[in-house]
Amino acid sequence: MQDFTEDNLTQVVCEEYGSKTTDERLRVVVTSLIQHLHAFIKDVELTEAEWYRAVEFLTATGQVCNEERQEFVLLSDVLGVSMLVDAINNRRSGLGTENTVLGPFHVSGAPELPMGANIMLKDIGGTPAFVQGRITDQDGTPLEGAVLDVWQASLRGFYDVQDPEVPQWNLRGKFTTGADGRYWFATELPGPYPIPPDGRVGELLRACGRHPMRPGHLHFIITAEGHDRLTTHIFTAGDEYLESDSVFGTKSSLVGEYETCHDEEMARKYGLSVPFQMLDFDFGLMRSVAEEPVAA
């Protein structure tokens, strides 16, 4: 019988998993996780009370999760893990639009809307805005049939699933581009807001002296046949939290400059009041690897 000690435990556990896990990728991931987790525990000399507190923290985090809120995604976001995974999986060598975090409030099944629709179903006093641009491939060729899944928080800092006073699908919608690759829709200007502070993630931020604020932004998931899916934001230029995003999601290439517009005819056409804010922003999608041309 072998004794399990502080000195040999990590090696024994890794050998057990390494010798019996038949899936090669799973073997690599699990044994690396064990090595790093054990090294962390040794490095900080974790106490039993701290370990049980961590178990309680993770249990409570899971208990907050439901179909409309994913607290574990939020935890991943505020620890910088989401952005690190995203960066590793979306290395584009400067081509195409950059990715950023998905966030915990994407909801599948948003309504498909005609181009130019106003996604602000209830006006709660926000600044009206109009957003437009083109979807192209990495070389600038317009993409027909690209689908934009759009969502954002309201002036009050809530998504529709958090706010019982607005209708379902408020500030959400899907749009499909035509042959010119153009998209356009009406909405309200996104402002800064705090991530939900009532769960264990909010507790962690307070304990560590961090604020919960995110700069104003629009969310996008953009898909097109033969191209990689793009998950990204457009951040609001001049927002005070651009340098200290609580989920580390900001990138300078994703900052959009809004301009004040007084076009009354355009306002009437899209259900906006004058003046409104107007933004032009183009997105570039990367061709999927299978679609890349083969060199002669």
Side-chain angles (χ1 to χ4, degrees):
M1 176 178 173
Q2 182 178 16
D3 290 337
F4 300 121
T5 69
E6 180 181 339
D7 293 328
N8 72 5
L9 187 59
T10 302
Q11 180 180 349
V12 171
V13 175
C14 284
E15 288 177 351
E16 176 73 6
Y17 280 92
S19 63
K20 296 182 178 179
T21 305
T22 57
D23 184 295
E24 176 63 18
R25 177 59 178 170
L26 180 60
R27 183 188 66 79
V28 170
V29 171
V30 170
T31 55
S32 179
L33 172 63
I34 293 166
Q35 291 170 344
H36 284 80
L37 182 58
H38 284 216
F40 157 72
I41 293 169
K42 291 178 180 179
D43 181 44
V44 301
E45 295 195 330
L46 198 69
T47 68
E48 288 185 342
E50 289 168 339
W51 173 241
Y52 286 119
R53 175 64 175 137
V55 170
E56 189 274 333
F57 176 89
L58 293 174
T59 301
T61 299
Q63 291 169 342
V64 174
C65 298
N66 54 47
E67 291 182 356
E68 297 176 344
R69 176 169 175 175
Q70 232 305 342
E71 192 79 355
F72 271 113
V73 170
L74 197 60
L75 179 60
S76 171
D77 290 348
V78 302
L79 294 176
V81 175
S82 298
M83 278 300 293
L84 182 57
V85 172
D86 180 85
I88 290 170
N89 284 271
N90 293 282
R91 296 168 177 146
R92 293 181 178 149
S93 302
L95 297 175
T97 300
E98 293 189 278
N99 268 53
T100 191
V101 293
L102 173 66
F105 290 107
H106 176 256
V107 178
S108 299
E112 297 182 6
L113 302 174
M115 200 64 77
N118 193 330
I119 64 174
M120 183 175 58
L121 303 182
K122 182 175 181 178
D123 186 354
I124 59 172
T127 301
F130 187 82
V131 183
Q132 64 180 2
R134 289 196 315 155
I135 311 298
T136 70
D137 67 12
Q138 62 204 57
D139 298 322
T141 302
L143 289 177
E144 181 176 6
V147 178
L148 295 85
D149 189 348
V150 183
W151 71 104
Q152 69 174 95
S154 71
L155 171 72
R156 288 197 284 246
F158 296 123
Y159 292 87
D160 61 336
V161 295
Q162 299 173 284
D163 190 347
E165 297 184 20
V166 301
Q168 184 185 26
W169 309 120
N170 187 55
L171 298 175
R172 297 181 189 267
K174 285 186 177 179
F175 301 90
T176 302
T177 60
D180 59 3
R182 290 189 62 241
Y183 75 92
W184 63 98
F185 61 91
T187 183
E188 66 175 61
L189 184 70
Y193 66 87
I195 61 172
D198 56 332
R200 290 307 171 94
V201 173
E203 177 184 309
L204 174 65
L205 291 179
R206 288 189 293 274
C208 295
R210 294 192 62 219
H211 71 67
M213 300 301 294
R214 295 216 67 200
H217 57 276
L218 302 168
H219 287 270
F220 293 86
I221 295 176
I222 306 175
T223 55
E225 185 177 356
H227 294 77
D228 293 343
R229 163 175 156 151
L230 173 64
T231 301
T232 196
H233 296 4
I234 302 176
F235 294 98
T236 305
D239 193 290
E240 62 180 306
Y241 296 106
L242 283 175
E243 299 290 339
S244 59
D245 182 3
S246 60
V247 306
F248 309 100
T250 52
K251 296 180 179 180
S252 58
S253 69
L254 302 179
V255 176
E257 293 275 357
Y258 289 82
E259 296 183 357
T260 302
C261 183
H262 295 271
D263 189 325
E264 295 184 358
E265 181 179 349
M266 185 176 177
R268 284 193 298 271
K269 182 177 180 179
Y270 295 107
L272 301 169
S273 58
V274 177
F276 58 91
Q277 295 296 300
M278 190 165 180
L279 172 68
D280 283 274
F281 198 96
D282 295 340
F283 296 99
L285 272 57
M286 298 291 289
R287 288 188 297 273
S288 300
V289 173
E291 300 293 323
E292 291 287 356
V294 177

